[in-house]
Amino acid sequence: MSSKLRMTALGAALAVGLVGCGGGGAGSGGSDTADAAPEDLTIGVAMPTQTSERWIADGNNVKEQLEGAGYQVDLQYANDDIPTQSQQIDQMITEGADLLIVAAIDGTALSSQLQAAADANIPVISYDRLIRDTENVDFYVSFDNYKVGVAQGTALLTGLGVLNPDGSQGTATGPFNVELFAGSLDDNNAHFFFQGAMDTLQPHIDSGVLVVKSGQTDIEQAATLRWQQETAQKRMEDLLTSSYNDGSKVNGVLSPYDGLSRGIITALQNAGYGPTIDAQPNPMPIVTGQDAEIASVKLIADGVQDSTVFKDTRLLAEQAVTAATAYLEGNEPEANDTETYDNGVKVVPSYLLPVETVYAENIQSALVDTGYWTADEVAKGQSD
Ligand code: GAL
């Protein structure tokens, strides 16, 4: 090769290199990936934990759907450990990921990783949990998290008979003793869930129909670090000891997540409640939930837990894949909410999915008929 040709070749390589780096910034579309074949592109998927089956389903659904579209996928779980998740994301970036999908453990802990992603023009999609305090997050896919909280508050009121199933005023006037649980304070969703639930419950607390006997109505008092079942069980045990040792009974518990609900139910059963909501003389309180985890769906079918809020993770995965594909093809994904999710630095354009409350009566139509769980899995309380 003549030196002139070599120079030209070098110039071309440099130009390609520049085009390769000059995607226009994360969020402006992966124009550097638009001409690439899907099989040459890798998507890093960072999930929080495998201790909850919803996140396993999320990971599998996202991976399968991305692979179905031809992309390479690097799926990692972080055992709910923040340094592990940071390290996994660092590694995805170093290994040349073209896009990241992240369900954060601590929504505020990823700023330096996401700066590195932005520097490398890697679009970042925040999955279900909003990543906070950084401008380097491009899109958010989730459910309507405030409405999840409203659904939980409404389910508690319905279970107690304060509301009828159609939402109209019920005949029960209480007073009912309720206790309140919230999720992990480092998860942005926990605040939306609690706010939605409290906006729904507060008028009934003010009117005296509901009584929070422990007095613990602040999210800081109700919170459960890392959404741990054992932590919720321990707090429920402590509440029973501190506030119900005078013979009074708990009638309802606001729980924002099925894992916590199972801990709460265990504490109540160990203290002689139940085992079911119909049991006498000491019925299981009305306990809410979220995620339609299979163990909890069985508890609902068995009349132990009253309700859960179902979030179809298959649809969430689909939205994440739609958004990812848009970026990788050089386009902007379509948002249906551009106001709600301020992450402290900017409002992140979001695609929010609807949710559905599941009671024993609609397990079949909401979960079995839709193929989310089989009747056999519900009966066993275990996924196949
Ligand atoms: C939240 C999520 C809930 C539940 C919880 C515990 O971020 O929105 O659906 O899964 O984490 O894992």
Side-chain angles (χ1 to χ4, degrees), residues 52 54-55 128-129 187 189 193 227 257 290-291 311:
S52 157
R54 80 146 281 193
W55 295 113
D128 200 40
R129 298 173 171 175
D187 179 346
N189 287 351
F193 301 153
W227 301 91
Y257 158 58
Q290 176 174 208
D291 285 349
K311 308 199 303 193

Side-chain angles (χ1 to χ4, degrees), residues 310-352:
F310 171 45
K311 308 199 303 193
D312 194 332
T313 52
R314 296 168 300 188
L315 301 181
L316 185 59
E318 213 172 283
Q319 274 313 318
V321 172
T322 303
T325 308
Y327 281 124
L328 293 172
E329 291 176 351
N331 303 316
E332 288 290 326
E334 188 195 327
N336 66 2
D337 185 301
T338 50
E339 284 171 11
T340 310
Y341 287 97
D342 186 333
N343 79 346
V345 175
K346 68 177 194 185
V347 176
V348 183
S350 310
Y351 196 98
L352 306 180

Side-chain angles (χ1 to χ4, degrees), residues 13 21 69-70 87 134 138 142 203 220 232 258:
C21 303
Q87 199 189 350
T134 170
D138 299 294
S142 189
E220 285 78 16
D258 285 342

Side-chain angles (χ1 to χ4, degrees), residues 127-381:
Y127 188 92
D128 200 40
R129 298 173 171 175
L130 185 65
I131 299 173
R132 294 190 51 88
D133 302 342
T134 170
E135 64 180 320
N136 301 315
V137 52
D138 299 294
F139 200 72
Y140 180 42
V141 291
S142 189
F143 296 84
D144 189 325
N145 294 302
Y146 180 82
K147 281 200 186 137
V148 171
V150 171
Q152 289 164 343
T154 305
L156 181 57
L157 293 169
T158 309
L160 291 169
V162 177
L163 295 179
N164 293 320
D166 66 3
S168 62
Q169 190 66 38
T171 48
T173 51
F176 296 111
N177 293 325
V178 298
E179 293 298 336
L180 312 171
F181 283 71
S184 198
L185 293 176
D186 53 10
D187 179 346
N188 194 58
N189 287 351
H191 301 266
F192 277 80
F193 301 153
F194 199 71
Q195 190 65 48
M198 287 311 279
D199 287 352
T200 310
L201 298 177
Q202 193 65 51
H204 303 277
I205 296 175
D206 293 343
S207 73
V209 170
L210 302 183
V211 178
V212 184
K213 205 147 179 280
S214 67
Q216 299 187 10
T217 54
D218 292 340
I219 190 168
E220 285 78 16
Q221 296 170 307
T224 317
L225 183 65
R226 295 284 113 73
W227 301 91
Q228 290 278 316
Q229 176 167 338
E230 304 72 36
T231 308
Q233 180 176 336
K234 174 79 173 57
R235 175 160 178 265
M236 189 71 236
E237 288 164 0
D238 291 348
L239 289 171
L240 290 172
T241 313
S242 61
S243 304
Y244 297 88
N245 56 2
D246 56 359
S248 59
K249 297 291 177 206
V250 185
N251 304 116
V253 182
L254 174 77
S255 166
Y257 158 58
D258 285 342
L260 303 190
S261 313
R262 293 195 295 276
I264 291 162
I265 286 168
T266 302
L268 288 161
Q269 288 181 338
N270 288 346
Y273 284 85
T276 62
I277 298 165
D278 289 337
Q280 293 301 335
N282 206 1
M284 175 60 61
I286 300 300
V287 181
T288 63
Q290 176 174 208
D291 285 349
E293 293 205 323
I294 192 62
S296 297
V297 175
K298 177 171 167 50
L299 289 175
I300 295 171
D302 291 348
V304 177
Q305 184 173 322
D306 189 58
S307 66
T308 187
V309 175
F310 171 45
K311 308 199 303 193
D312 194 332
T313 52
R314 296 168 300 188
L315 301 181
L316 185 59
E318 213 172 283
Q319 274 313 318
V321 172
T322 303
T325 308
Y327 281 124
L328 293 172
E329 291 176 351
N331 303 316
E332 288 290 326
E334 188 195 327
N336 66 2
D337 185 301
T338 50
E339 284 171 11
T340 310
Y341 287 97
D342 186 333
N343 79 346
V345 175
K346 68 177 194 185
V347 176
V348 183
S350 310
Y351 196 98
L352 306 180
L353 291 157
V355 299
E356 180 177 4
T357 308
V358 173
Y359 302 93
E361 299 74 52
N362 63 338
I363 289 175
Q364 180 69 34
S365 60
L367 302 176
V368 179
D369 294 349
T370 61
Y372 199 76
W373 298 121
T374 65
D376 186 49
E377 287 171 320
V378 174
K380 285 187 305 197

